[in-house]
Amino acid sequence: MFSYSFLRDFEKINNQTPGDHEVLVISDDFSHPSVLERITSRKYNVVFHQAAIPRVLYSVENPSATTDVNISGTVRLLEACRGKIDRFVFASSSSVYGGADTLPTSESHPKDPKSPYAWQKSAIEDVAKVFSNLYDMDIVCLRYFNVFGPGQRGDSPYSTIKTGDIMRSDGDGTQTRDLCYVDNTVDANVLAANAPGKFSGDCYNIACGDRTSNKEILDYFKKKFPDAESADAPWRAGDVMHTQADISAANERLGYEPKIRLWDGLEKTVEWWDLS
């Protein structure tokens, strides 16, 4: 699976002052032997594991293939990191909650994944706990809530405006989401990498702490792009009705605070579309 993983290098780079670090972005199979060899050679002190086969619907249609990559690949990556790095930061997902009956939802809410993708994220959180306990690894899991923003791939099914396809409303549009601008998640990762103390597979919600309906967002785009077409679509298998995060734990433990809210983030995303 070709996707992105980020590894922070502690090797000294030319013209850098002591304490500076290289950030190497690898667009490749995150569990490829050549990647794992670099980790076991102690070239990095922090691994940000952002890579996966994403999308709920794709996992519903391809449960075995996505499980092979998302779970087995991550176990291989964790195994390579064992005793070789200082901290492992894992990109988990709000989908582990399923349709939470308590909003805002805190990390103590029982997990109830509704799709293979959600279950895979949940299972990796469980594996993170096991590796932390067995091998004394420092691992923190960040549960992202619907990340969006500049850089989102044009071929994503969520990027219909960018590609010129017809906008769609899945179901009646009353489902709500706690959407999180990408810069907020970047901040969360940096904070998680540098937070003092030790993590034992602990999980933290990364979001804005509010929610917006799909219909409100569709109305925004209709006003922004009057010529854009829209159509109704069936409910998507594996989707939940509502998400909203309680972000107090991330604030207290990591110092996380969302800096960019939904509507400002959408404006920034549209500006990027216009320039790209």
Side-chain angles (χ1 to χ4, degrees):
M1 172 58 188
F2 287 78
S3 191
Y4 288 102
S5 285
F6 300 83
L7 308 102
R8 194 170 69 183
D9 200 331
F10 63 66
E11 295 177 316
K12 295 295 185 292
I13 308 301
N14 290 337
N15 302 320
Q16 288 188 330
T17 58
D20 283 349
H21 304 285
E22 175 192 62
V23 175
L24 173 66
V25 180
I26 298 176
S27 179
D28 202 340
D29 179 351
F30 64 87
S31 63
H32 190 280
S34 64
V35 174
L36 303 184
E37 190 276 330
R38 290 183 66 84
I39 294 171
T40 57
S41 298
R42 298 180 181 270
K43 293 185 179 294
Y44 312 104
N45 61 355
V46 176
V47 171
F48 299 87
H49 180 30
Q50 310 292 309
I53 297 181
R55 305 199 313 273
V56 167
L57 183 58
Y58 187 86
S59 77
V60 171
E61 296 171 342
N62 302 275
S64 62
T66 52
T67 297
D68 287 344
V69 172
N70 293 347
I71 294 182
S72 297
T74 298
V75 171
R76 287 192 292 273
L77 181 62
L78 280 165
E79 187 175 24
C81 292
R82 183 178 57 185
K84 306 298 184 182
I85 65 169
D86 296 332
R87 181 167 291 167
F88 188 96
V89 182
F90 170 59
S92 188
S93 168
S94 63
S95 62
V96 301
Y97 296 117
D101 54 12
T102 301
L103 299 174
T105 306
S106 73
E107 293 85 352
S108 62
H109 192 283
K111 297 194 290 185
D112 186 21
K114 302 294 188 185
S115 68
Y117 172 79
W119 167 74
Q120 291 152 14
K121 291 293 188 181
S122 176
I124 294 168
E125 290 183 355
D126 296 340
V127 169
K129 286 281 189 184
V130 172
F131 270 68
S132 292
N133 293 330
L134 278 179
Y135 309 119
D136 197 34
M137 289 182 67
D138 188 330
I139 305 175
V140 57
C141 304
L142 304 180
R143 290 175 176 168
Y144 298 164
F145 279 65
N146 297 96
V147 179
F148 75 99
Q152 190 170 20
R153 296 182 309 169
D155 61 350
S156 165
Y158 309 115
S159 304
T160 55
I161 289 288
K162 171 66 176 169
T163 59
D165 294 336
I166 295 175
M167 297 185 296
R168 70 173 192 270
S169 174
D170 298 326
D172 62 8
T174 58
Q175 62 270 58
T176 59
R177 295 290 183 270
D178 190 337
L179 290 115
C180 188
Y181 188 68
V182 63
D183 286 14
N184 297 328
T185 62
V186 173
D187 287 344
N189 275 269
V190 173
L191 290 166
N194 292 297
K198 185 175 181 180
F199 297 93
S200 299
D202 308 302
C203 299
Y204 297 94
N205 293 334
I206 303 301
C208 286
D210 48 28
R211 58 193 174 105
T212 308
S213 73
N214 282 7
K215 185 178 185 306
E216 289 177 275
I217 297 169
L218 186 62
D219 288 344
Y220 162 87
F221 281 116
K222 285 179 178 178
K223 292 178 181 178
K224 194 78 176 177
F225 303 98
D227 296 331
E229 299 181 66
S230 64
D232 294 332
W235 294 97
R236 291 192 304 172
D239 260 1
V240 300
M241 273 301 295
H242 305 291
T243 67
Q244 183 180 7
D246 178 346
I247 58 175
S248 58
N251 177 262
E252 292 168 9
R253 182 65 177 86
L254 307 177
Y256 169 76
E257 186 70 33
K259 297 177 181 177
I260 299 177
R261 298 285 174 169
L262 168 64
W263 302 113
D264 288 338
L266 279 178
E267 289 294 327
K268 289 177 178 292
T269 304
V270 171
E271 290 174 8
W272 173 78
W273 287 344
D274 290 339
L275 294 173
S276 63

